[in-house]
Amino acid sequence: MEYKDEIGVIGIDDAPFNKFDKEALIIGTYMRGNKIVDEIYFKKIEKDGFDSTEKILKIVKDKHFTKINAIFLDGVTFGGFNIADIVKIYDETKIPVIVIIERKPDLLKIKSALKKHFFEFPEKIEMIESFPNPEPFENIVIQYIGISFEDACKIIKKTRLRSKIPECLRISHIVGRGFLNID
């Protein structure tokens, strides 16, 4: 499939937080292609909670909903271990979800951390195991649902500028880091 230069995409990342915080912030950047930012969204989520999926859906279903061709997530965990259910996000929006990961996740390490720190770990592990397997693409790893590997790669290439990740995710990350400097 061919994609226009100004394809509508949204990238969602979380802001840094400290271990004493009860909440974390997620940032969504809606862009056309890799140059035009049309909206930046902010939602609070419960650190290590279960509400990131619901908050991501609220961001996606806002005023640019009909123009979004792909949802990019920086990993599947936000605010610690608040896991975004990418299957549910796709099922409720019918918009392809593409997860960008720096390197292939160590599932054994993740499961061990969940068992050690969370009473509700079986539910979180079950969710992670329901996701598609991560696959390498150039110098990142991706998980995707609602789209082919080839089309996911085309959209990534179309929406990045000078980075290995889509510009909408890079901007969400930069905005999130900015919250570290608030006095």
Side-chain angles (χ1 to χ4, degrees), residues 32-112:
R32 288 181 279 144
N34 61 11
K35 293 182 180 82
I36 303 167
V37 176
D38 278 341
E39 192 86 32
I40 297 181
Y41 299 91
F42 300 93
K43 294 281 182 207
K44 286 183 180 176
I45 59 169
E46 184 184 335
K47 192 179 105 189
D48 298 324
F50 282 92
D51 61 345
S52 65
T53 302
E54 165 198 328
K55 298 294 179 81
I56 289 168
L57 284 167
K58 282 184 178 179
I59 290 171
V60 171
K61 290 180 176 181
D62 206 331
K63 69 180 181 182
H64 296 289
F65 180 61
T66 59
K67 298 178 273 181
I68 298 171
N69 293 281
I71 301 164
F72 287 108
L73 302 180
D74 184 14
V76 295
T77 58
F78 297 89
F81 276 109
N82 193 326
I83 300 168
D85 186 340
I86 61 174
V87 175
K88 183 175 181 178
I89 293 168
Y90 174 72
D91 285 347
E92 288 199 20
T93 64
K94 299 302 181 221
I95 299 170
V97 178
I98 304 168
V99 178
I100 307 289
I101 313 165
E102 288 287 325
R103 60 189 140 345
K104 190 169 174 114
D106 183 339
L107 271 178
L108 290 176
K109 209 177 206 178
I110 293 168
K111 288 178 186 180
S112 174

Side-chain angles (χ1 to χ4, degrees), residues 67-165:
K67 298 178 273 181
I68 298 171
N69 293 281
I71 301 164
F72 287 108
L73 302 180
D74 184 14
V76 295
T77 58
F78 297 89
F81 276 109
N82 193 326
I83 300 168
D85 186 340
I86 61 174
V87 175
K88 183 175 181 178
I89 293 168
Y90 174 72
D91 285 347
E92 288 199 20
T93 64
K94 299 302 181 221
I95 299 170
V97 178
I98 304 168
V99 178
I100 307 289
I101 313 165
E102 288 287 325
R103 60 189 140 345
K104 190 169 174 114
D106 183 339
L107 271 178
L108 290 176
K109 209 177 206 178
I110 293 168
K111 288 178 186 180
S112 174
L114 286 169
K115 286 178 184 175
K116 185 176 175 184
H117 298 288
F118 300 101
F119 174 74
E120 62 279 307
F121 75 88
E123 189 176 339
K124 290 182 185 250
I125 289 173
E126 189 178 309
M127 190 185 312
I128 289 173
E129 288 178 338
S130 75
F131 300 161
N133 286 325
E135 295 182 43
F137 166 65
E138 293 181 359
N139 51 358
I140 56 174
V141 178
I142 65 172
Q143 285 174 289
Y144 51 91
I145 188 163
I147 192 169
S148 69
F149 178 77
E150 294 75 22
D151 283 342
C153 295
K154 284 180 187 175
I155 292 177
I156 292 168
K157 287 178 181 178
K158 183 74 74 175
T159 57
R160 60 188 181 187
L161 198 54
R162 291 183 176 87
S163 172
K164 61 185 174 182
I165 65 171

